[in-house]
Amino acid sequence: MRIIADLHIHSRYSRATSREMTLESLALWAKLKGIGLIGTGDFTHPAHFASIEEKLEPTGNGLFVLKNGIAGDDVRFMLSAEVSNIFSLGGKTRKVHSLIFSPTIEAARKINAAFSSLGNINSDGRPIFGFSAQDLIKIVMDASPEAMLVPAHAWTPWFSIFGSKSGFDSIEECFGEYSKYIHAIETGLSSNPEMNWRISALDRITLISNSDAHSPSKLGREANVFDCNMDYYEIRDILINKDKKRFLYTVEFYPEEGKYHSDGHRACGVRLGPEETKALSGNCPVCGKGLTVGVLSRVEELSDRPSGYIPENAIPARHMVPLEEILASAMGVGVASVKVQREYRRLVSAAPEFSYLLDMDSDELTESCGELIASAIQRVRSGEISVSPGYDGEFGRICVFDKKIVPQTHPVQIGLL
Ligand SMILES: [Zn+2]
Ligand SMILES: [Zn+2]
């Protein structure tokens, strides 16, 4: 069966998240979107863990379902959490976010017990620890050899394994002898698989994509599409073996839309491409301080292949824009406007969001959405859109009805805004 999976989300117990991020509303929204498998998020947080134990029951294959059946049998949960490790290694301060997946309540409980003896798991759904990434993976593997650790949003400047500000140049540099337990990384919103394919050291790694949603409407803005049984152990096997037969593709943001795609300084109104940043020795032309070097530059720096290179065992990617944003761009109004929200509700009550984005043919789209929206969706599918790239924490902006572009994976000259 085809499974659309979004494995990185946060509960209401993480900072800056919606109060609506409860297991019930996650399940209901997942159903509206067409997501069959969703992370619980934040299993390290005692209050969220209590609600996981109270409201979910195991399905017997490493996954869970709501006891009250609010979303029927359509939505399963995987125990998931994200943690932040801030530590020093090789004379530098490192800040790395990691996703943890657990097949059982017992393993999650063991992980939580180890964490609570080493740091504070109460204050934030995404806890911050002072121990190293290697200590982290030891804890996770000790709790269950079938648990998984996946470096989160691997390229963002501040808090990721390859980040320009406080990351590493390779998986081995971060995880040392434990690197053999790292089978997958999350590409994050600001990078896409094509960018990651330029780094031969990642050929053995499975690239996954998730929403990192802090509110329910953002679920599935990136996702993984599998063809397999609803089974934790089978999905783990797919990730370990980078199995192209059962991992059909990832659903991706256009990476320019991500908040850290290009380089720049938000406060100074400066956005630059990799070549420009290099020419300025990484310093802001307005304030003179170091620029926030984004994902595109960082990929250039670590890549050993030209842009456009496709490794033999690459899992395909489909670039998409959330339906609300397509509606807003096509209608020429804001995402939060009544007009967009009314149409979004009408559409997702007739079919899941992913049916419109991924599956319906042009006749079906025209019949259900009208000609304008149908052609907007077609343009998104074929990449005939333009994006003004995000930088230094500012999201990029999508324009559906403009000139044709293809996702940028080569140096772009962007200049001052
Ligand atoms: Zn994170
Ligand atoms: Zn500046």
Side-chain angles (χ1 to χ4, degrees), residues 265 268 284 286-288:
H265 261 175
C268 302
C284 174
V286 174
C287 72

Side-chain angles (χ1 to χ4, degrees), residues 8 10 82-83 97-98 126 152-153 156 159 186 212 214:
H8 181 181
H10 288 282
E82 185 190 21
V83 303
H97 285 190
S98 306
R126 190 194 55 215
H153 42 75
T156 51
F159 296 102
E186 184 188 60
D212 199 353
H214 288 208

